[in-house]
Amino acid sequence: MSAVDALWAPLVEHGSQWCAPNVHAAAQWLVVDGTPWRAALTLPGPRNSYVVSPAGQYLDYAMEETRRLGPAQRLFSRTTLHAIAPVLRRLDPVLCLDALPVSTVLRPSRTRASWATLTEAARVAHPATPRVVRAIDSVTGADTLAHLTSLGYELIPSRLVFHQDPARVAFWSHRNLRHDRALAARAPLEVRTLHSPDAPRIADLYWMLYGDRHSTLNPRFSPEWLAHGMAAGVLRGEGIMHHGQLAAAYLSYSIDHVMTNPVFGYDTTLPQAIGLYRRLSLLALESAHQTGHLLHASSGAPAFKATRGGLPAIEYHAVDLHGVSGHQRLAWDITLRIARRIGPAMLRAAH
């Protein structure tokens, strides 16, 4: 078992809602040739998080995102989503393979043979259920994309994500990064390492940003899960203090040469002039630089990330539909056609 498996073990023991109350899935181990793989079977639940539910992502989350569009675009998008909602609802349930209850799933490089063995085992265990490998892009998962497509997986566009490479000398010459560093030097705030007792405050800061400001379809991490991840040494991060209180925090995990921040948030009630988002982003970048990691900056805030050296890439989910039939197969076939036709252009337009 890998170190990251420590994040999954308590979900198998206590249930997925122990990690996040809006993640409705049966967390399990799929043991293949003696090796346990993390797997999550979607369960019915109100407004299920997109980390285990395609319907949650492509319908509920998409509906929330229409708030950011102009009046005409919003009306068109909502009308279209309402029209195809019955189709999108039939995308669930799925079996998520190599699962984690976070937006960005990092994974080590694996052979085609290992993916083939897992795929066959999943087909036997869940013959009529779509099997999904989430969150793969050509920068950090080119080999995974190649292996899965060669095994018959279909690719569906998911998000536009960004990668930042602080190891490049030229990276730090971006004007906005220089400004962020100048802000941190001109008006320094206390920075400290985060520990398990900070978990309740970290959970609140994360939700202020990702739940209250963005989408309630993001996983609402429990303090217990965050504390467990920190105690296990898998989730690590730093926080920024303001007037004696933790005001911003990130938690990261890493696999091989890549690091990402599944937990990132700040006190949105404090004045924007303090620059907490800028400061926290800089901290994460400097941490990646010190440890020699590429930073997978996930999605969101595309202009902010692009002006700080972020390189965009389209992220995909890989879907195995072998043995899937009836209304669910039809729903996936329709969704794949639509997503492939308009998805990449829409995601790039957001950049």
Side-chain angles (χ1 to χ4, degrees):
M1 295 175 67
S2 70
V4 174
D5 287 340
L7 297 177
W8 193 250
L11 278 71
V12 177
E13 180 179 357
H14 303 298
S16 63
Q17 291 179 283
W18 182 85
C19 163
N22 63 341
V23 173
H24 304 278
Q28 55 195 262
W29 297 111
L30 186 60
V31 181
V32 183
D33 292 342
T35 300
W37 290 74
R38 302 181 304 270
L41 181 64
T42 310
L43 296 175
R47 292 180 56 76
N48 204 351
S49 174
Y50 63 84
V51 298
V52 293
S53 168
Q57 176 171 357
Y58 293 108
L59 178 58
D60 297 328
Y61 190 93
M63 188 66 75
E64 286 191 357
E65 286 295 289
T66 62
R67 297 173 303 179
R68 309 182 193 285
L69 302 175
Q73 287 179 306
R74 183 167 59 250
L75 177 61
F76 173 78
S77 298
R78 288 184 174 178
T79 301
T80 302
L81 286 170
H82 278 301
I84 64 173
V87 172
L88 296 176
R89 287 288 176 214
R90 290 185 181 276
L91 297 178
D92 291 341
V94 300
L95 181 72
C96 294
L97 300 174
D98 209 20
L100 276 177
V102 295
S103 60
T104 300
V105 182
L106 302 180
R107 47 182 58 89
S109 179
R110 297 188 176 96
T111 65
R112 182 185 184 279
S114 66
W115 283 113
T117 303
L118 171 64
T119 299
E120 184 57 33
R123 288 174 176 176
V124 171
H126 299 272
T129 303
R131 281 74 52 183
V132 177
V133 182
R134 295 184 54 250
I136 322 164
D137 67 76
S138 60
V139 176
T140 60
D143 58 342
T144 303
L145 285 174
H147 295 330
L148 294 178
T149 53
S150 74
L151 292 169
Y153 282 75
E154 307 273 4
L155 299 184
I156 181 169
S158 170
R159 307 180 297 169
L160 188 73
V161 297
F162 289 83
H163 301 90
Q164 295 168 295
D165 187 359
R168 293 187 299 109
V169 175
F171 176 84
W172 295 100
S173 66
H174 286 87
R175 182 180 63 180
N176 284 359
L177 281 175
R178 296 200 308 270
H179 290 174
D180 295 343
R181 281 182 150 178
L183 170 66
R186 182 176 67 250
L189 294 175
E190 179 190 349
V191 175
R192 67 174 179 83
T193 301
L194 298 173
H195 301 285
S196 295
D198 297 311
R201 179 60 175 167
I202 297 170
D204 287 343
L205 294 172
Y206 161 79
W207 198 248
M208 282 186 196
L209 178 59
Y210 278 92
D212 295 337
R213 280 206 173 178
H214 290 287
S215 173
T216 56
L217 275 301
N218 284 298
R220 186 162 192 167
F221 300 124
S222 69
E224 291 79 11
W225 186 73
L226 297 181
H228 168 83
M230 286 187 280
V234 181
L235 296 178
R236 301 181 178 88
E238 298 171 292
I240 299 172
M241 304 297 291
H242 183 260
H243 291 171
Q245 187 177 34
L246 188 62
Y250 79 86
L251 291 175
S252 69
Y253 79 99
S254 59
I255 290 182
D256 294 341
H257 69 291
V258 185
M259 164 184 156
T260 193
N261 309 311
V263 182
F264 191 99
Y266 65 93
D267 189 337
T268 58
T269 67
L270 293 175
Q272 188 174 358
I274 299 173
L276 288 174
Y277 187 85
R278 293 170 59 193
R279 293 172 186 265
L280 196 62
S281 297
L282 180 62
L283 274 182
L285 276 170
E286 290 176 336
S287 175
H289 187 210
Q290 292 165 7
T291 55
H293 286 101
L294 173 75
L295 182 64
H296 189 313
S298 196
S299 64
F304 180 93
K305 292 168 184 174
T307 58
R308 288 161 174 81
L311 299 178
I314 294 178
E315 179 186 89
Y316 296 89
H317 300 329
V319 187
D320 175 34
L321 295 172
H322 178 84
V324 180
S325 60
H327 292 298
Q328 190 173 27
R329 179 58 185 254
L330 179 62
W332 272 105
D333 287 342
I334 293 172
T335 303
L336 283 164
R337 284 200 298 271
I338 295 173
R340 286 168 176 165
R341 185 173 303 162
I342 67 174
M346 289 181 62
L347 293 173
R348 291 190 182 100
H351 171 46

